[in-house]
Amino acid sequence: MYSFSAPFARLVWALSPIPAPPEGIMMQSLYSNVYHVLSVQKAYPRDDIQADIVLWLLWRLWKNRNEFLFKGKEYEARSILKRAEEDAEEWQRKQQAEVSEAERLGVKRPMITNHVSSWTPPPTNWLKCNSDGSWHKDKATSGLRWICRDENGHVIWAGARSVIKATSPILAEAEALKWGAETMASFGYNNIIFESDLLALVRMINGSEEVWPVLQPTIEVIRSTLSHIQKFDVRFSLRGENKAADRIAKESFTFVSSIPKLYSIVPVWLKYQVRSDNTMYQKNVGE
């Protein structure tokens, strides 16, 4: 057994499949080491490395540090690596299950409706906030966006920002929902329905699915923020019901700065999609 120390952490990384920096195994500063492991995929694009395990190793090292400090528990380096590998495998299985669930919903929906899915307004005296996060393996940034509308389809607030690339698509989705919830809560709004087209994220926020370690901090903030809203609901929506947020995403990729942008007046580039959502809803209701 080993006590939890810097040499012990270096041993864990030495046993892992992550390439060491040119100067040696984690012999640089803390920030340099963190930057190295988080950018390993970009640094070794042609090598067959298991970059997905990085976040799980960081999580396990942090968790086991706390258990050593507060509970006196000690772990072998190989045990930590094995647990991180199991975490990564479980995450991959859940991602595959999520895709299968989405495909299942996509197949079954035409059987219960004969019109294209579209945004629907919230009940009277409620607001609906649709969020979305954009992530692309070839882009250095991620986009966060959300749009909040009332029962008449009028835009109350919308937000768009470009941030340093999230470590995964689901984390970008979670950060977008978190930002929308934080903004609406800080403005004092109540009676809000939050919608995301990522089913696993919705289930984790609602407590019907175990929270993935990589999302734990973000979801804790989301839950804390929601507790300050008098009435709220977090729901899953099909991608066709989230087109306005998606339109904001396309625009956010053109931003030259990371300064968050809030809109209380619908920008010109978003007006068409907002009108289209309202028209489509009225058409579907009339059918």
Side-chain angles (χ1 to χ4, degrees):
M1 301 292 256
Y2 303 88
S3 62
F4 199 98
S5 60
F8 174 68
R10 286 199 291 270
L11 176 59
V12 174
W13 287 108
L15 293 171
S16 78
I18 304 303
E23 295 80 1
I25 300 173
M26 301 298 160
M27 296 303 292
Q28 308 174 71
S29 70
L30 172 63
Y31 296 107
S32 297
N33 288 334
V34 171
Y35 176 80
H36 170 75
V37 297
L38 291 179
S39 59
V40 68
Q41 185 71 70
K42 183 183 294 185
Y44 301 88
R46 296 183 180 179
D47 294 344
D48 185 19
I49 60 173
Q50 301 175 35
D52 290 345
I53 201 176
V54 168
L55 292 175
W56 303 104
L57 273 172
L58 290 172
W59 166 256
R60 281 295 170 181
L61 285 169
W62 175 256
K63 185 175 181 180
N64 291 328
R65 167 195 174 276
N66 291 339
E67 291 192 3
F68 174 74
L69 292 177
F70 300 111
K71 299 181 181 179
K73 292 185 177 180
E74 295 180 296
Y75 296 87
E76 292 183 348
R78 291 189 182 279
S79 173
I80 291 180
L81 178 59
K82 184 174 185 296
R83 290 189 177 191
E85 290 172 341
E86 291 172 349
D87 289 337
E89 290 174 1
E90 182 182 2
W91 181 52
Q92 290 292 341
R93 287 196 300 269
K94 288 186 175 181
Q95 280 192 314
Q96 293 170 1
E98 177 192 324
V99 171
S100 298
E101 178 71 6
E103 290 175 347
R104 183 182 68 81
L105 289 171
V107 170
K108 285 193 172 184
R109 187 169 180 82
M111 297 171 61
I112 61 176
T113 180
N114 59 0
H115 56 73
V116 178
S117 63
S118 62
W119 180 83
T120 57
T124 303
N125 297 325
W126 279 72
L127 301 175
K128 178 177 284 189
C129 186
N130 293 87
S131 60
D132 199 9
S134 58
W135 188 94
H136 194 283
K137 63 183 181 66
D138 296 327
K139 292 186 179 294
T141 60
S142 293
L144 310 182
R145 62 273 188 176
W146 55 272
I147 179 171
C148 195
R149 286 171 280 190
D150 64 15
E151 63 202 74
N152 298 311
H154 298 151
V155 176
I156 306 301
W157 285 98
R161 67 190 300 185
S162 178
V163 297
I164 296 175
K165 185 178 179 179
T167 53
S168 65
I170 193 171
L171 185 56
E173 296 276 354
E175 288 291 337
L177 196 154
K178 178 172 77 73
W179 181 34
E182 287 175 332
T183 303
M184 299 307 291
S186 67
F187 288 169
Y189 288 98
N190 289 300
N191 301 352
I192 308 175
I193 297 170
F194 294 93
E195 285 190 343
S196 169
D197 56 21
L198 204 55
L199 183 61
L201 175 62
V202 171
R203 286 177 171 172
M204 283 186 273
I205 293 173
N206 288 329
S208 59
E209 182 173 319
E210 183 180 356
V211 177
W212 302 350
V214 70
L215 293 176
Q216 187 75 46
T218 304
I219 288 185
E220 285 182 2
V221 173
I222 291 174
R223 288 175 175 172
S224 175
T225 301
L226 293 176
S227 69
H228 293 89
I229 298 175
Q230 188 174 8
K231 292 182 180 180
F232 68 88
D233 192 11
V234 182
R235 301 177 181 175
F236 168 72
S237 64
L238 294 174
R239 185 163 294 276
E241 302 170 21
N242 208 21
K243 290 181 179 179
D246 185 64
R247 176 63 185 89
I248 297 174
K250 290 181 172 63
E251 191 67 23
S252 67
F253 276 125
T254 68
F255 295 167
V256 295
S257 74
S258 59
I259 298 175
K261 294 177 174 57
L262 292 178
Y263 304 94
S264 59
I265 298 176
V266 185
V268 173
W269 47 265
L270 186 58
K271 285 184 177 180
Y272 172 79
Q273 187 58 61
V274 172
R275 285 198 302 265
S276 177
D277 283 349
N278 292 338
T279 301
M280 183 63 71
Y281 167 70
Q282 293 169 2
K283 176 183 178 182
N284 289 340
V285 170
E287 290 181 350

